[in-house]
Structure formats: C-alpha cells, structure tokens
Amino acid sequence: MTSGGSQLVMPEDVIDASEWHVLSPDQLASLFDKTHCRYYEPGEMVFCEGDANRGVHFIGVGLVGVRREDANGNSVLMRLAAESDTLGYRSFLTNGPYQASAEVLQPSKICFFSKAVLHELLHDNPEFGLEIMRRALRDLANVERRLHQTITWSVRARFAHLLLVMRERYGRAGENGGIQLEFPITRSDMASMIGVRPESLSRIIRQMSEEGLLSVSGRHAVVPDVERLTEEVSLSSNHSG
Amino acid sequence: MTSGGSQLVMPEDVIDASEWHVLSPDQLASLFDKTHCRYYEPGEMVFCEGDANRGVHFIGVGLVGVRREDANGNSVLMRLAAESDTLGYRSFLTNGPYQASAEVLQPSKICFFSKAVLHELLHDNPEFGLEIMRRALRDLANVERRLHQTITWSVRARFAHLLLVMRERYGRAGENGGIQLEFPITRSDMASMIGVRPESLSRIIRQMSEEGLLSVSGRHAVVPDVERLTEEVSLSSNHSG
DNA sequence: CGCCAGGTTGATTTCGCTCAAGCAATGTGG
DNA sequence: CCACATTGCTTGAGCGAAATCAACCTGGCG
C-alpha cells in the first residue's frame, strides 16, 4: 500500500535501480499521484535541444536516444537511456535549455515530473539532492572517460568497446562462451557514437567479420570469442600498441 | 578582519570566484586555519592518477594541468586549472581514487583541505553542497560539449577553438583589433588536448601561418584577425561545411 | 662542450572521408 | 497487385588528412 488512491505506475525494481529509490513510500506515492505517464512510439521526441526545461522524465521501460546536432544538422547519438534512467535532470537544475534531444528508439513508458514537484522533493528530502549529485558525478566520470577514449583509441578499438558495452544490456550468452547481441540502434547511430561515418563503420564490421571476430546480419550479431574482442580494445588502442 | 589569529592566505577575489564564496567569513577563517598551503614549482605533482583521495586542492595562483594516461603511457592533457579552481572534488565525493593526475605547469600556490574539514563544512553549510553540485553540472556540460566537438569538428577547427579558449585567460589585446597570446603549455600538450600528434599540430600551425591566420614564434602567438579564426571554427567543422 | 627536451620538417603509409552506385526491405499510392 | 519512392546498409574508387618514422634544429643547462 505505498499509495492511497492511485496505483503505483512503475514496478518497484525499476525505481530501486534509479535516483528515486531514496524517496520514502509516501513521497513516491505523492510523486506518482502528480505525475503523468504515457507510452511513446519509436520516433517520438521526448524533448528537443534548445527547448526550455519543464521537469524531468523517468523511463519505466523502453529505450531513448540522447542526441546532439552540430551546425550542419548532423546528429550525434551521445548516449542511450533505458529503464530506470532519468532524463533532463541537468537542465532542470541549471534552469537552462535542453542541451540535447531525446528521441524514443523503442516503445517506451515514460513518466514526467514537473519542476514544482521536484523542487518540493529537493526541499523535503536532502538525501535526494545528494543522490542527484552522485548521478552527476557518475555521468561526469563516464563522459570524461569517453572523451579520453575517443582521443586515444582507434576506431576499431572504439567499436569493439561499444560492442562490449552494448553486450551488458542487449547481449545474451551464446554457444561455447560466445555471445549474441541485438543492436538496439541503427548503424548510423552506432557510427556517430564512436565518431566515424557510417561507411567506415560498415567497413570495420566487414573487416572484423573476415577476421572471424564477429558475425553480423542485420541487427543480429554473434561474437564467438569475447576474449579476442577485449584484446582488440587494448591492442588497437593505437597502432603501435 | 575575517579571521582571528591566522592571516587569510588567499586574496578575497580569488575565493569569491570559486566554490568557496558561499562560506561565511567564520567558516572561511576556520577553513584556512586548518589548511596547509604551499608553493609548487613546474613539474611537481599535486596528485597522481590512481592514488587515494585525501581531500581537495584549491589553486590560489598559478597553473595546473590535469592529465590522464592511456595504456601505453601517453599522457593526454584533459584540461587546465588555474587560480580559483578546485581540484579533486570528484574523487573526494565519490570516495574513489583520482581519475587523473595534476601536474604543476607554472609556479603555483595551492592549498589543501582535508576530508575531515570538508565533511564538516558539507554538514554545516547546505549551500556549499549545492555549490559543488553546480560545479559538477558545469563540468559535465563542458566535457559533453567537448566530446561532441571532438567527434564532429576537424582538427583545424579544434585548434582554432583552443586558441580562442586560451585567449580568454592568456591573451591580451594587440594592434588593430588583433590579439596576442602566450601559450601556457607545450605544443605536445596542446596537441593532446585536441587529440592529434604533435607533428600534425606543427603542420596545422605552419599551414595557418602561411594563410596569414596566425603568426607564431615559440610560445608567443599573434592573431591579426580574430574574426577569421572564429569563422575557421564554424567553417571547417567538417570538410563539407 | 655535449646532452637533452621541445619543436619542426620531410617522406611515406595508413586510415577514414567523400562521392557515387547498388541492394534489400519496407512502405505507399494508384 | 504493381510501380515507385524511401530508408538502412553496403561496396567501390579516389582523395585528403593525419599518423608514423626518421632526421634535424634549437635553446637551455649540466
């Protein structure tokens, strides 16, 4: 009975894995009382770069891509957000416009929490503020690591690393210790994530396939030997490695 | 008379431009009572990547380079820190090891605040916690922007941009609306900041010099027309731009 | 003086981009 | 149901950009 009249619209484990787990049952109930959740279809925008922030979005289920556009309109997929992720907390706290767009990539259920509700929470629950700070610090560490990798690693290494990262959420065990993987995003998006053109990624994939590192068909991939992929990340970090 | 017995070891304007400006005079005084400050010479390490955090460092004057090493021992200059900057707040808050090394690049005066003192402050002054969060959010926005630029901009654009950034702190007005600039760091460090080899940077500089965009001798640079440099950033963001 | 780190230059190779074409799957309007 | 765009992906050819390897210069400094 976490909530009085309204049903709790998110499973508990999704909340427990998020920033929101520090809220008391009462706070959670009143939060979801005032929230408005809905389903999104792929292609829908949750919010757009440059728009004014009105609150934060919480992903209950699904997949959202966070993109930035450059001056020529090329979009770069900055990161993926999935269940238990909170979007837009940054521009909410800095009171500035969104720095990126959020586009739904897979059917999703997303809740929206308004600024008013959030400010109330921040005021009532100091632990919640700390939790958000921890989140910011974690994000900061991740982005800085990625910047370093983008600067120092070869394209091959970056792609191999992307595969290993995607494995965590979208991979399953295959045969003989290998893994199977369903790409959640298009080739173009993968390419932009590692900072290359789609054609180059295509060639990298073919090259790796010819070497037996990988076997790809459409969005389905098989990695027979994860060890070799891991080596790839460290070996080809730069050419002389 | 901000402090009782001990003298305030930092000028007020340096503190006012930093996170620490939210502290009360009393808190500041007691902070600097328990601090230990010292001068550093170029080449000295403030802390090293991987070491356990023992507190944060506050730069009163000077210049510090924040570096990361990759698997092959190549160092990448991630960012510069100068007066009013606080170093090591991240690993202090996450209680983890330093993610980067801090090396003194120009003679500096740096204060050290121990974890104990900081925890006391965080407990006594909630505004201080918020200030640190704002700092983390600002850093996050900066790094994400840089990652995007590194992925989408050409080397020329990245270098032109670096010049414009360095101008803010190390440039002075020249003649006819131009600017003069003293590079605070070596060519190798500049190269690593924009993710190229030193040789390539050398060539970029020569090329730009031949085009009259730039005139460099040692660590001294003259940019006759800042407008053209700004255009360079947007024009050569990618080849087709 | 010799040494060394920082910087430049040249020759060569490798890598990734551009431009262009083609292909398969999907959708759409007549 | 077919003709036709559209989208996502791949491939090829050629080019340009940056890395590599190597030599050499320069100014400080023991």
Side-chain angles (χ1 to χ4, degrees):
Chain A
M1 305 318 109
T2 48
S3 135
S6 77
Q7 57 202 340
L8 196 58
V9 277
M10 289 291 166
E12 276 186 36
D13 59 328
V14 173
I15 290 168
D16 286 348
S18 75
E19 290 77 349
W20 311 92
H21 78 268
V22 295
L23 300 191
S24 71
D26 280 354
Q27 286 175 323
L28 265 181
S30 99
L31 177 66
F32 278 98
D33 263 353
K34 295 177 214 141
T35 205
H36 106 109
C37 298
R38 76 175 186 89
Y39 289 92
Y40 289 74
E41 288 306 311
E44 281 192 80
M45 301 303 292
V46 182
F47 52 76
C48 291
E49 197 172 346
D51 284 1
N53 179 295
R54 284 201 200 74
V56 306
H57 293 265
F58 177 65
I59 307 177
V61 50
L63 184 69
V64 176
V66 179
R67 301 170 180 291
R68 256 176 208 244
E69 287 207 348
D70 67 9
N72 308 326
N74 301 324
S75 109
V76 174
L77 186 54
M78 299 297 288
R79 65 172 198 279
L80 293 173
E83 84 179 23
S84 296
D85 266 323
T86 301
L87 291 173
Y89 78 94
R90 194 131 51 91
S91 54
F92 160 67
L93 289 167
T94 60
N95 231 338
Y98 288 113
Q99 305 278 333
S101 305
E103 180 191 347
V104 173
L105 300 176
Q106 286 173 7
S108 301
K109 181 177 188 181
I110 300 175
C111 292
F112 176 74
F113 306 139
S114 75
K115 288 173 98 154
V117 175
L118 293 167
H119 279 128
E120 199 178 315
L121 271 181
L122 278 174
H123 179 266
D124 293 351
N125 191 340
E127 184 59 28
F128 180 56
L130 284 180
E131 191 62 21
I132 293 191
M133 185 176 77
R134 278 189 278 270
R135 163 68 189 273
L137 292 169
R138 213 163 37 237
D139 285 356
L140 182 50
N142 284 335
V143 179
E144 217 164 63
R145 190 159 30 81
R146 253 188 84 191
L147 176 62
H148 185 241
Q149 291 168 355
T150 302
I151 286 181
T152 56
W153 289 5
S154 71
V155 171
R156 256 183 92 112
R158 302 208 298 271
F159 177 61
H161 183 250
L162 176 62
L163 287 174
L164 292 173
V165 170
M166 286 194 301
R167 170 175 83 128
E168 288 165 20
R169 200 182 276 265
Y170 306 99
R172 25 177 224 285
E175 48 212 23
N176 303 331
I179 53 174
Q180 300 210 338
L181 191 57
E182 291 297 324
F183 297 142
I185 53 176
T186 64
R187 297 276 197 283
S188 293
D189 277 340
M190 286 196 267
S192 79
M193 285 192 90
I194 61 174
V196 292
R197 300 287 157 195
E199 301 95 315
S200 298
L201 178 59
S202 232
R203 285 181 241 274
I204 296 277
I205 289 177
R206 188 158 78 107
Q207 192 186 332
M208 283 183 160
S209 301
E210 282 167 0
E211 295 170 23
L213 256 168
L214 207 61
S215 145
V216 180
S217 154
R219 290 204 171 189
H220 185 75
V222 178
V223 178
D225 187 349
V226 188
E227 256 326 295
R228 281 180 67 197
L229 206 62
T230 315
E231 283 168 24
E232 200 64 37
V233 175
S234 35
L235 282 180
S236 71
S237 289
N238 68 39
H239 181 249
S240 64
Chain B
M1 306 318 110
T2 48
S3 132
S6 76
Q7 57 202 341
L8 197 56
V9 278
M10 290 289 165
E12 276 184 36
D13 60 327
V14 173
I15 290 168
D16 285 348
S18 74
E19 294 69 356
W20 311 92
H21 78 268
V22 295
L23 300 191
S24 72
D26 279 355
Q27 286 174 322
L28 266 181
S30 99
L31 177 66
F32 279 97
D33 264 353
K34 294 178 215 140
T35 205
H36 106 106
C37 299
R38 75 174 185 87
Y39 290 92
Y40 288 74
E41 289 305 311
E44 281 191 80
M45 302 303 292
V46 183
F47 53 76
C48 293
E49 198 172 345
D51 283 3
N53 180 294
R54 283 200 200 75
V56 307
H57 294 265
F58 177 65
I59 306 177
V61 50
L63 184 69
V64 176
V66 179
R67 299 168 180 292
R68 256 175 208 245
E69 288 208 347
D70 67 10
N72 308 325
N74 301 324
S75 108
V76 173
L77 187 54
M78 299 297 287
R79 68 173 196 277
L80 293 172
E83 84 178 24
S84 297
D85 266 326
T86 301
L87 293 173
Y89 77 94
R90 194 133 49 92
S91 53
F92 160 67
L93 289 167
T94 60
N95 233 336
Y98 287 113
Q99 305 277 334
S101 305
E103 179 190 348
V104 174
L105 299 176
Q106 286 173 5
S108 302
K109 182 177 188 180
I110 299 174
C111 293
F112 175 76
F113 306 139
S114 74
K115 289 174 98 154
V117 176
L118 293 168
H119 279 128
E120 201 177 313
L121 271 180
L122 278 174
H123 179 266
D124 294 351
N125 192 339
E127 185 59 28
F128 180 56
L130 285 179
E131 191 63 20
I132 293 191
M133 185 177 78
R134 278 189 278 270
R135 162 68 189 276
L137 292 170
R138 214 162 39 237
D139 284 357
L140 182 49
N142 284 334
V143 179
E144 218 164 63
R145 189 160 31 81
R146 254 189 81 192
L147 176 61
H148 184 241
Q149 290 168 354
T150 302
I151 285 181
T152 57
W153 289 5
S154 70
V155 171
R156 256 183 92 112
R158 301 207 299 270
F159 178 61
H161 183 250
L162 176 62
L163 286 174
L164 292 172
V165 171
M166 286 194 301
R167 170 174 84 126
E168 287 164 22
R169 200 183 276 266
Y170 306 100
R172 24 178 223 286
E175 48 212 23
N176 303 332
I179 52 174
Q180 300 211 337
L181 192 57
E182 291 296 325
F183 297 142
I185 52 175
T186 65
R187 295 277 198 284
S188 295
D189 277 340
M190 286 195 268
S192 79
M193 284 192 91
I194 60 175
V196 291
R197 300 287 158 196
E199 302 96 314
S200 298
L201 177 59
S202 231
R203 284 181 241 273
I204 296 276
I205 289 177
R206 187 157 81 105
Q207 191 186 330
M208 284 183 160
S209 302
E210 283 166 359
E211 295 170 24
L213 256 167
L214 208 60
S215 146
V216 180
S217 154
R219 290 205 171 188
H220 185 75
V222 178
V223 178
D225 188 349
V226 188
E227 256 326 296
R228 282 181 65 198
L229 206 61
T230 315
E231 283 169 24
E232 199 65 37
V233 176
S234 34
L235 281 180
S236 71
S237 289
N238 67 38
H239 180 249
S240 64

PDB file of all heavy atoms in Angstrom, chain B residues 155 196-197 199-200 203, chain D residues 17-22:
ATOM      1  N   VAL B 155      40.373  18.872 -37.188  1.00  0.00           N
ATOM      2  CA  VAL B 155      41.499  19.235 -36.337  1.00  0.00           C
ATOM      3  C   VAL B 155      41.736  20.749 -36.376  1.00  0.00           C
ATOM      4  O   VAL B 155      41.972  21.381 -35.342  1.00  0.00           O
ATOM      5  CB  VAL B 155      42.768  18.491 -36.775  1.00  0.00           C
ATOM      6  CG1 VAL B 155      43.977  19.017 -36.035  1.00  0.00           C
ATOM      7  CG2 VAL B 155      42.612  17.013 -36.509  1.00  0.00           C
ATOM      8  N   VAL B 196      45.489  15.136 -31.428  1.00  0.00           N
ATOM      9  CA  VAL B 196      46.349  14.837 -32.574  1.00  0.00           C
ATOM     10  C   VAL B 196      47.790  14.662 -32.097  1.00  0.00           C
ATOM     11  O   VAL B 196      48.120  14.963 -30.959  1.00  0.00           O
ATOM     12  CB  VAL B 196      46.341  15.967 -33.625  1.00  0.00           C
ATOM     13  CG1 VAL B 196      45.006  16.041 -34.323  1.00  0.00           C
ATOM     14  CG2 VAL B 196      46.722  17.280 -33.005  1.00  0.00           C
ATOM     15  N   ARG B 197      48.645  14.217 -33.018  1.00  0.00           N
ATOM     16  CA  ARG B 197      50.075  14.093 -32.716  1.00  0.00           C
ATOM     17  C   ARG B 197      50.730  15.457 -32.811  1.00  0.00           C
ATOM     18  O   ARG B 197      50.289  16.310 -33.596  1.00  0.00           O
ATOM     19  CB  ARG B 197      50.741  13.153 -33.724  1.00  0.00           C
ATOM     20  CG  ARG B 197      50.181  11.777 -33.726  1.00  0.00           C
ATOM     21  CD  ARG B 197      50.593  11.010 -32.497  1.00  0.00           C
ATOM     22  NE  ARG B 197      49.666   9.910 -32.243  1.00  0.00           N
ATOM     23  CZ  ARG B 197      49.585   9.250 -31.099  1.00  0.00           C
ATOM     24  NH1 ARG B 197      50.344   9.586 -30.078  1.00  0.00           N
ATOM     25  NH2 ARG B 197      48.741   8.262 -30.959  1.00  0.00           N
ATOM     26  N   GLU B 199      53.382  16.386 -34.298  1.00  0.00           N
ATOM     27  CA  GLU B 199      53.796  16.712 -35.667  1.00  0.00           C
ATOM     28  C   GLU B 199      52.653  17.318 -36.461  1.00  0.00           C
ATOM     29  O   GLU B 199      52.837  18.269 -37.220  1.00  0.00           O
ATOM     30  CB  GLU B 199      54.314  15.468 -36.402  1.00  0.00           C
ATOM     31  CG  GLU B 199      55.485  14.774 -35.743  1.00  0.00           C
ATOM     32  CD  GLU B 199      55.040  13.625 -34.887  1.00  0.00           C
ATOM     33  OE1 GLU B 199      54.079  13.833 -34.115  1.00  0.00           O
ATOM     34  OE2 GLU B 199      55.635  12.540 -34.982  1.00  0.00           O
ATOM     35  N   SER B 200      51.479  16.731 -36.275  1.00  0.00           N
ATOM     36  CA  SER B 200      50.321  17.235 -37.021  1.00  0.00           C
ATOM     37  C   SER B 200      49.994  18.656 -36.586  1.00  0.00           C
ATOM     38  O   SER B 200      49.690  19.509 -37.433  1.00  0.00           O
ATOM     39  CB  SER B 200      49.116  16.328 -36.792  1.00  0.00           C
ATOM     40  OG  SER B 200      49.367  15.029 -37.264  1.00  0.00           O
ATOM     41  N   ARG B 203      52.242  21.088 -38.234  1.00  0.00           N
ATOM     42  CA  ARG B 203      51.862  21.348 -39.628  1.00  0.00           C
ATOM     43  C   ARG B 203      50.645  22.257 -39.710  1.00  0.00           C
ATOM     44  O   ARG B 203      50.584  23.157 -40.557  1.00  0.00           O
ATOM     45  CB  ARG B 203      51.597  20.025 -40.340  1.00  0.00           C
ATOM     46  CG  ARG B 203      52.874  19.285 -40.692  1.00  0.00           C
ATOM     47  CD  ARG B 203      52.568  17.988 -41.422  1.00  0.00           C
ATOM     48  NE  ARG B 203      53.051  16.846 -40.676  1.00  0.00           N
ATOM     49  CZ  ARG B 203      54.279  16.361 -40.764  1.00  0.00           C
ATOM     50  NH1 ARG B 203      55.153  16.926 -41.548  1.00  0.00           N
ATOM     51  NH2 ARG B 203      54.652  15.311 -40.063  1.00  0.00           N
TER      52      ARG B 203
ATOM     53  P    DA D  17      42.795  17.808 -46.751  1.00  0.00           P
ATOM     54  OP1  DA D  17      42.031  19.059 -46.615  1.00  0.00           O
ATOM     55  OP2  DA D  17      44.184  17.803 -47.278  1.00  0.00           O
ATOM     56  O5'  DA D  17      42.807  17.077 -45.343  1.00  0.00           O
ATOM     57  C5'  DA D  17      41.686  16.282 -44.951  1.00  0.00           C
ATOM     58  C4'  DA D  17      42.118  15.380 -43.819  1.00  0.00           C
ATOM     59  O4'  DA D  17      42.825  14.235 -44.348  1.00  0.00           O
ATOM     60  C3'  DA D  17      43.064  16.045 -42.830  1.00  0.00           C
ATOM     61  O3'  DA D  17      42.698  15.607 -41.553  1.00  0.00           O
ATOM     62  C2'  DA D  17      44.431  15.526 -43.241  1.00  0.00           C
ATOM     63  C1'  DA D  17      44.092  14.135 -43.730  1.00  0.00           C
ATOM     64  N9   DA D  17      44.982  13.600 -44.757  1.00  0.00           N
ATOM     65  C8   DA D  17      45.510  14.246 -45.832  1.00  0.00           C
ATOM     66  N7   DA D  17      46.248  13.480 -46.588  1.00  0.00           N
ATOM     67  C5   DA D  17      46.190  12.240 -45.970  1.00  0.00           C
ATOM     68  C6   DA D  17      46.761  10.988 -46.267  1.00  0.00           C
ATOM     69  N6   DA D  17      47.533  10.770 -47.325  1.00  0.00           N
ATOM     70  N1   DA D  17      46.503   9.965 -45.430  1.00  0.00           N
ATOM     71  C2   DA D  17      45.725  10.178 -44.368  1.00  0.00           C
ATOM     72  N3   DA D  17      45.136  11.301 -43.975  1.00  0.00           N
ATOM     73  C4   DA D  17      45.417  12.302 -44.829  1.00  0.00           C
ATOM     74  P    DA D  18      43.171  16.476 -40.319  1.00  0.00           P
ATOM     75  OP1  DA D  18      41.954  16.720 -39.527  1.00  0.00           O
ATOM     76  OP2  DA D  18      43.993  17.592 -40.789  1.00  0.00           O
ATOM     77  O5'  DA D  18      44.114  15.481 -39.511  1.00  0.00           O
ATOM     78  C5'  DA D  18      43.634  14.219 -39.225  1.00  0.00           C
ATOM     79  C4'  DA D  18      44.756  13.211 -39.052  1.00  0.00           C
ATOM     80  O4'  DA D  18      45.356  12.921 -40.325  1.00  0.00           O
ATOM     81  C3'  DA D  18      45.898  13.617 -38.121  1.00  0.00           C
ATOM     82  O3'  DA D  18      45.878  12.718 -37.025  1.00  0.00           O
ATOM     83  C2'  DA D  18      47.156  13.487 -38.988  1.00  0.00           C
ATOM     84  C1'  DA D  18      46.701  12.572 -40.100  1.00  0.00           C
ATOM     85  N9   DA D  18      47.406  12.714 -41.370  1.00  0.00           N
ATOM     86  C8   DA D  18      47.619  13.868 -42.076  1.00  0.00           C
ATOM     87  N7   DA D  18      48.290  13.677 -43.193  1.00  0.00           N
ATOM     88  C5   DA D  18      48.520  12.311 -43.217  1.00  0.00           C
ATOM     89  C6   DA D  18      49.190  11.487 -44.141  1.00  0.00           C
ATOM     90  N6   DA D  18      49.754  11.943 -45.255  1.00  0.00           N
ATOM     91  N1   DA D  18      49.233  10.164 -43.864  1.00  0.00           N
ATOM     92  C2   DA D  18      48.666   9.716 -42.746  1.00  0.00           C
ATOM     93  N3   DA D  18      48.016  10.398 -41.803  1.00  0.00           N
ATOM     94  C4   DA D  18      47.982  11.698 -42.102  1.00  0.00           C
ATOM     95  P    DA D  19      47.066  12.530 -35.982  1.00  0.00           P
ATOM     96  OP1  DA D  19      46.415  12.185 -34.709  1.00  0.00           O
ATOM     97  OP2  DA D  19      47.996  13.663 -36.080  1.00  0.00           O
ATOM     98  O5'  DA D  19      47.796  11.220 -36.499  1.00  0.00           O
ATOM     99  C5'  DA D  19      47.056  10.012 -36.569  1.00  0.00           C
ATOM    100  C4'  DA D  19      47.979   8.855 -36.912  1.00  0.00           C
ATOM    101  O4'  DA D  19      48.498   9.049 -38.236  1.00  0.00           O
ATOM    102  C3'  DA D  19      49.181   8.699 -35.990  1.00  0.00           C
ATOM    103  O3'  DA D  19      49.388   7.311 -35.726  1.00  0.00           O
ATOM    104  C2'  DA D  19      50.325   9.328 -36.784  1.00  0.00           C
ATOM    105  C1'  DA D  19      49.904   9.068 -38.215  1.00  0.00           C
ATOM    106  N9   DA D  19      50.316  10.125 -39.144  1.00  0.00           N
ATOM    107  C8   DA D  19      50.044  11.467 -39.030  1.00  0.00           C
ATOM    108  N7   DA D  19      50.521  12.195 -40.012  1.00  0.00           N
ATOM    109  C5   DA D  19      51.148  11.263 -40.826  1.00  0.00           C
ATOM    110  C6   DA D  19      51.851  11.397 -42.037  1.00  0.00           C
ATOM    111  N6   DA D  19      52.044  12.573 -42.657  1.00  0.00           N
ATOM    112  N1   DA D  19      52.343  10.273 -42.589  1.00  0.00           N
ATOM    113  C2   DA D  19      52.141   9.099 -41.972  1.00  0.00           C
ATOM    114  N3   DA D  19      51.498   8.858 -40.837  1.00  0.00           N
ATOM    115  C4   DA D  19      51.025   9.989 -40.310  1.00  0.00           C
ATOM    116  P    DT D  20      50.502   6.840 -34.774  1.00  0.00           P
ATOM    117  OP1  DT D  20      50.026   5.551 -34.244  1.00  0.00           O
ATOM    118  OP2  DT D  20      50.888   7.946 -33.882  1.00  0.00           O
ATOM    119  O5'  DT D  20      51.754   6.566 -35.720  1.00  0.00           O
ATOM    120  C5'  DT D  20      51.656   5.595 -36.740  1.00  0.00           C
ATOM    121  C4'  DT D  20      52.931   5.601 -37.552  1.00  0.00           C
ATOM    122  O4'  DT D  20      53.018   6.826 -38.310  1.00  0.00           O
ATOM    123  C3'  DT D  20      54.220   5.513 -36.730  1.00  0.00           C
ATOM    124  O3'  DT D  20      54.863   4.304 -37.097  1.00  0.00           O
ATOM    125  C2'  DT D  20      55.030   6.755 -37.135  1.00  0.00           C
ATOM    126  C1'  DT D  20      54.374   7.155 -38.449  1.00  0.00           C
ATOM    127  N1   DT D  20      54.377   8.623 -38.799  1.00  0.00           N
ATOM    128  C2   DT D  20      54.915   9.006 -40.000  1.00  0.00           C
ATOM    129  O2   DT D  20      55.403   8.222 -40.795  1.00  0.00           O
ATOM    130  N3   DT D  20      54.863  10.356 -40.242  1.00  0.00           N
ATOM    131  C4   DT D  20      54.327  11.341 -39.423  1.00  0.00           C
ATOM    132  O4   DT D  20      54.331  12.502 -39.759  1.00  0.00           O
ATOM    133  C5   DT D  20      53.780  10.858 -38.185  1.00  0.00           C
ATOM    134  C7   DT D  20      53.182  11.839 -37.224  1.00  0.00           C
ATOM    135  C6   DT D  20      53.833   9.545 -37.922  1.00  0.00           C
ATOM    136  P    DC D  21      56.022   3.664 -36.258  1.00  0.00           P
ATOM    137  OP1  DC D  21      55.928   2.192 -36.443  1.00  0.00           O
ATOM    138  OP2  DC D  21      56.020   4.263 -34.911  1.00  0.00           O
ATOM    139  O5'  DC D  21      57.338   4.171 -37.012  1.00  0.00           O
ATOM    140  C5'  DC D  21      57.424   4.013 -38.418  1.00  0.00           C
ATOM    141  C4'  DC D  21      58.590   4.816 -38.964  1.00  0.00           C
ATOM    142  O4'  DC D  21      58.184   6.184 -39.188  1.00  0.00           O
ATOM    143  C3'  DC D  21      59.807   4.873 -38.030  1.00  0.00           C
ATOM    144  O3'  DC D  21      60.956   4.529 -38.789  1.00  0.00           O
ATOM    145  C2'  DC D  21      59.816   6.324 -37.549  1.00  0.00           C
ATOM    146  C1'  DC D  21      59.210   7.039 -38.749  1.00  0.00           C
ATOM    147  N1   DC D  21      58.606   8.367 -38.481  1.00  0.00           N
ATOM    148  C2   DC D  21      58.709   9.374 -39.454  1.00  0.00           C
ATOM    149  O2   DC D  21      59.300   9.124 -40.497  1.00  0.00           O
ATOM    150  N3   DC D  21      58.162  10.585 -39.205  1.00  0.00           N
ATOM    151  C4   DC D  21      57.531  10.812 -38.057  1.00  0.00           C
ATOM    152  N4   DC D  21      57.000  12.017 -37.873  1.00  0.00           N
ATOM    153  C5   DC D  21      57.413   9.807 -37.048  1.00  0.00           C
ATOM    154  C6   DC D  21      57.959   8.610 -37.299  1.00  0.00           C
ATOM    155  P    DA D  22      62.371   4.327 -38.087  1.00  0.00           P
ATOM    156  OP1  DA D  22      62.989   3.160 -38.731  1.00  0.00           O
ATOM    157  OP2  DA D  22      62.205   4.396 -36.619  1.00  0.00           O
ATOM    158  O5'  DA D  22      63.136   5.639 -38.557  1.00  0.00           O
ATOM    159  C5'  DA D  22      63.065   6.048 -39.916  1.00  0.00           C
ATOM    160  C4'  DA D  22      63.626   7.438 -40.057  1.00  0.00           C
ATOM    161  O4'  DA D  22      62.607   8.406 -39.707  1.00  0.00           O
ATOM    162  C3'  DA D  22      64.825   7.734 -39.150  1.00  0.00           C
ATOM    163  O3'  DA D  22      65.907   8.194 -39.953  1.00  0.00           O
ATOM    164  C2'  DA D  22      64.322   8.782 -38.206  1.00  0.00           C
ATOM    165  C1'  DA D  22      63.236   9.463 -39.029  1.00  0.00           C
ATOM    166  N9   DA D  22      62.249  10.169 -38.236  1.00  0.00           N
ATOM    167  C8   DA D  22      61.620   9.742 -37.104  1.00  0.00           C
ATOM    168  N7   DA D  22      60.780  10.620 -36.597  1.00  0.00           N
ATOM    169  C5   DA D  22      60.890  11.698 -37.455  1.00  0.00           C
ATOM    170  C6   DA D  22      60.262  12.961 -37.468  1.00  0.00           C
ATOM    171  N6   DA D  22      59.377  13.348 -36.549  1.00  0.00           N
ATOM    172  N1   DA D  22      60.576  13.805 -38.455  1.00  0.00           N
ATOM    173  C2   DA D  22      61.476  13.416 -39.373  1.00  0.00           C
ATOM    174  N3   DA D  22      62.127  12.255 -39.471  1.00  0.00           N
ATOM    175  C4   DA D  22      61.783  11.438 -38.471  1.00  0.00           C
TER     176       DA D  22
END
